[in-house]
C-alpha cells in the first residue's frame, strides 16, 4: 500500500478516518444480516412479509439517493456522510420497540437512508482524494471496509443473538453507528471547484433524467440493477434457506466466508484494473457471482454453502468496486455525487424488487428456485455488459475482455483546462 505514502498528510489522515468509519458502519449493518429475517419470522411474519420488510430497506435508498447526491455536490460530501452514520446509530434502536409488520416496514425504509447517504458521501470523498492514475488502486483499498465489516458484523450479530438475544444485538449495532458518526465528524473534505448557479440547475435536471439514460451510465446502472436482485435474494433468504435444510451451520459463517473472499478480491484487483482496465474484471466477476448463485440453489451441506459464500463474496467483492471505479472514470467532479446516487440506485432498485417478487412467488419457486432465478439475472447482466458496455458491439467486446480502454472515460485534464 505504498500509494498512501505519496499522499499529503491531511489527505492520508482523512482517508484513514474514512476507513475506520467504514469499518464500524458496515459492521453495524452486517451484524443484522443473519439475524433480522429470522427475527421477523419469529415475530410471526410470513415468507412474503419477510421479503417485503427486508426489501423495503431499499425503498429508503431509492427515495433519498437523488436528494443526497445533489446535497453532496452542492453542499457537503461530509454532511451526507454524517447523515448516513447517524441513521445507522438511531435505526437499530427502533427494532427494540417496533414489533408490527407495518411499523417494521417504515423502520426499514428509514434504515435504508443510512446506506444511501453513507455510500454516496464515502465514494465521493474517496474519489475526490484519489489521484486519477491511481484511482482504481485507492478505491480498491478503501472499499476493503465493506468485506472486513461484513466479516466481523455477521459473526458478531450471530454470536450476540445466540448467546444474549436480540436486545444486545440491536444495542451494539446502534453503538457501532454512533462510533462511525464520531469518525465522520473528523473528516476534512478536499477542495473542489465551485459550481455556478446555472450549472446547478442544469445538473439537477440531469440527475433526474439525462444522467440516468446517458450512454456512459445506463449500462453500469442496469448491471447494478440485475446484481441487486441477486444480492437481495442472498441477504433476504440465505439465513432462512440454511435453517430450512437442517444443515448445522450458523448463517453468519456464510457471510464471513463471503467477506474473506471479497477482501482478497478487492486487495489485488483495484491496482490491476489501473493497468488492464475495468472491463475484464467486471465481466469475470459477473460470471463468478452467477456460479455462486447456482451453487447456493443446489447446496445441501455446510461445505457447499461455505464454498458458495466464498464465490459470492469474490464475485461481489470484485464487481462492486470495479463498477464504482468505472462510474468514477465516467463522471466529472461537479456531478460526482449525483452520478453515484443515480447509478447506485440501480442496485437499490434490484434489492427492493427482489424481496416482494421472490416472496410473492415463493410457493412456486421455493428457496432453490429463488437463487436459480438470481443466477439467471447474473447471466443476463454479463451478456448485456459484454455486448453494450461501449459505443458498439465490437468496442464493447474488446473493452469487456480487457483489450481496449474505456471510450466513455472523462479526461479530467481537458475538463480542468476548460474551466
Amino acid at each position: 500500500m505504498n500509494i498512501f505514502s505519496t499522499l499529503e498528510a491531511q489527505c492520508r489522515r482523512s482517508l484513514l478516518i474514512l476507513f475506520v468509519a467504514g469499518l464500524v458502519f458496515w459492521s453495524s449493518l452486517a451484524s443484522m444480516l443473519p439475524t433480522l429475517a429470522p427475527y421477523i419470522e419469529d415475530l410471526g411474519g410470513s415468507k412474503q412479509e419477510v421479503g417485503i420488510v427486508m426489501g423495503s430497506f431499499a425503498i429508503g435508498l431509492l427515495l433519498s439517493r437523488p436528494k443526497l447526491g445533489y446535497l453532496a455536490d452542492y453542499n457537503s460530501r461530509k454532511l451526507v456522510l454524517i447523515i448516513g452514520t447517524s441513521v445507522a446509530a438511531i435505526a437499530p434502536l427502533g427494532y427494540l420497540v417496533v414489533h408490527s409488520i407495518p411499523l417494521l416496514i417504515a423502520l426499514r425504509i428509514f434504515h435504508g437512508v443510512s446506506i444511501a447517504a453513507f455510500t454516496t458521501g464515502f465514494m465521493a470523498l474517496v474519489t475526490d482524494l484519489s489521484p486519477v492514475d491511481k484511482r482504481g488502486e485507492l478505491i480498491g483499498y478503501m472499499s476493503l471496509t465493506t468485506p472486513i465489516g461484513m466479516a466481523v458484523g455477521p459473526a458478531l450479530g450471530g454470536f450476540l443473538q445466540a448467546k444474549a438475544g436480540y436486545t444486545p444485538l440491536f444495542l451494539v449495532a446502534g453503538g457501532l453507528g454512533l462510533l462511525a458518526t464520531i469518525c465522520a465528524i473528523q473528516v476534512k473534505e478536499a477542495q473542489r471547484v465551485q459550481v455556478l448557479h446555472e450549472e446547478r440547475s442544469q445538473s439537477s435536471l440531469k440527475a433526474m433524467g439525462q444522467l440516468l439514460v446517458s450512454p456512459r451510465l445506463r449500462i453500469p446502472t442496469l448491471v447494478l440493477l440485475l446484481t441487486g436482485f441477486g444480492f437481495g435474494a442472498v441477504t433476504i433468504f440465505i439465513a432462512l434457506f440454511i435453517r430450512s435444510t437442517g444443515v448445522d451451520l450458523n448463517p453468519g459463517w456464510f457471510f464471513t466466508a463471503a467477506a474473506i473472499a471479497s477482501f482478497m478480491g478487492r486487495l489485488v484487483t483495484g491496482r490491476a484494473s489501473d493497468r488492464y482496465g475495468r472491463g475484464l474484471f467486471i465481466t469475470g466477476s459477473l460470471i463468478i457471482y452467477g456460479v455462486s448463485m447456482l451453487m447456493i440453489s443446489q447446496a445441501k451441506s455446510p461445505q457447499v454453502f461455505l464454498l458458495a459464500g466464498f464465490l459470492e463474496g469474490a464475485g461481489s467483492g470484485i464487481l462492486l468496486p470495479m463498477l464504482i471505479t468505472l462510474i468514477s472514470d465516467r463522471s466529472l467532479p461537479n456531478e460526482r455525487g449525483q452520478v453515484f446516487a443515480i447509478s447506485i440506485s440501480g442496485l437499490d432498485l434490484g434489492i427492493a424488487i427482489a424481496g416482494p417478487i421472490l416472496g410473492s412467488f415463493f410457493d412456486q419457486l421455493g428457496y432453490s428456485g429463488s437463487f436459480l432465478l438470481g443466477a439467471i439475472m447474473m447471466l443476463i447482466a454479463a451478456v448485456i455488459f459484454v455486448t453494450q458496455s461501449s459505443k458498439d458491439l465490437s468496442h464493447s467486446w474488446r473493452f469487456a475482455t480487457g483489450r481496449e480502454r474505456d471510450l466513455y472515460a472523462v479526461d479530467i485534464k481537458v475538463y480542468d483546462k476548460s474551466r
Side-chain angles (χ1 to χ4, degrees), residues 6-346:
T6 66
L7 302 175
E8 295 179 359
Q10 183 60 61
C11 179
R12 280 200 306 273
R13 181 176 182 275
S14 290
L15 286 172
L16 176 60
I17 294 171
L18 277 171
F19 194 88
V20 176
L23 284 179
V24 290
F25 174 83
W26 288 112
S27 295
S28 171
L29 289 180
S31 66
M32 291 182 283
L33 280 179
T35 55
L36 199 52
Y39 174 68
I40 298 167
E41 191 172 62
D42 290 344
L43 290 176
S46 65
K47 293 294 187 300
Q48 184 176 11
E49 288 172 332
V50 169
I52 292 173
V53 172
M54 296 295 288
S56 62
F57 187 89
I59 297 174
L61 277 75
L62 284 167
L63 294 177
S64 62
R65 272 208 198 271
K67 181 62 177 178
L68 290 167
Y70 188 84
L71 187 64
D73 280 338
Y74 303 128
N75 192 309
S76 168
R77 322 278 210 211
K78 177 178 173 178
L79 174 61
V80 173
L81 188 76
I82 291 172
I83 291 172
T85 56
S86 298
V87 174
I90 296 169
L93 305 181
Y95 297 107
L96 295 172
V97 295
V98 172
H99 301 121
S100 70
I101 296 300
L103 289 178
L104 280 171
I105 292 173
L107 181 59
R108 287 290 289 171
I109 291 172
F110 173 68
H111 205 171
V113 177
S114 65
I115 287 188
F118 184 86
T119 54
T120 299
F122 185 89
M123 291 185 294
L125 283 165
V126 171
T127 303
D128 290 344
L129 295 166
S130 301
V132 175
D133 59 339
K134 300 292 184 180
R135 181 179 289 159
E137 183 178 3
L138 250 178
I139 290 177
Y141 289 147
M142 293 299 293
S143 71
L144 291 173
T145 60
T146 305
I148 296 174
M150 296 289 278
V152 173
L156 176 63
F159 174 80
L160 285 172
Q161 191 278 328
K163 299 296 183 181
Y166 289 110
T167 297
L169 165 66
F170 296 141
L171 288 174
V172 169
L176 291 171
L178 177 61
L179 181 57
T181 303
I182 295 171
C183 291
I185 293 171
Q186 310 302 315
V187 173
K188 184 175 177 61
E189 293 189 67
Q191 290 187 342
R192 291 180 286 124
V193 176
Q194 294 297 315
V195 182
L196 299 177
H197 178 75
E198 311 85 76
E199 291 178 292
R200 294 189 180 198
S201 299
Q202 293 171 1
S203 297
S204 180
L205 292 173
K206 282 184 180 181
M208 293 296 110
Q210 294 179 359
L211 281 175
L212 183 60
V213 300
S214 64
R216 60 192 168 115
L217 296 178
R218 62 174 175 243
I219 296 304
T221 303
L222 182 56
V223 170
L224 282 166
L225 169 67
L226 296 169
T227 301
F229 190 93
F231 184 76
V234 171
T235 56
I236 294 170
F237 287 127
I238 191 64
L240 298 175
F241 185 27
I242 292 173
R243 186 159 75 173
S244 73
T245 62
V247 169
D248 184 19
L249 177 67
N250 184 332
W253 290 112
F254 174 94
F255 292 104
T256 299
I260 293 171
S262 180
F263 179 91
M264 296 168 60
R266 292 168 194 251
L267 194 61
V268 298
T269 55
R271 184 175 183 179
S273 74
D274 286 330
R275 180 175 180 181
Y276 300 108
R278 325 299 184 198
L280 177 64
F281 296 96
I282 293 174
T283 302
S285 61
L286 286 168
I287 294 171
I288 294 171
Y289 205 114
V291 170
S292 74
M293 298 292 287
L294 182 61
M295 286 188 64
I296 293 172
S297 72
Q298 304 302 312
K300 292 182 175 62
S301 70
Q303 293 81 6
V304 176
F305 274 116
L306 289 174
L307 178 57
F310 188 88
L311 289 178
E312 191 272 341
S316 62
I318 298 171
L319 177 61
L320 295 179
M322 286 298 99
L323 282 171
I324 289 169
T325 308
L326 180 70
I327 293 166
S328 301
D329 294 340
R330 296 181 175 190
S331 65
L332 293 169
N334 70 319
E335 64 180 13
R336 194 162 284 149
Q338 293 169 96
V339 165
F340 282 136
I342 294 299
S343 297
I344 304 301
S345 290

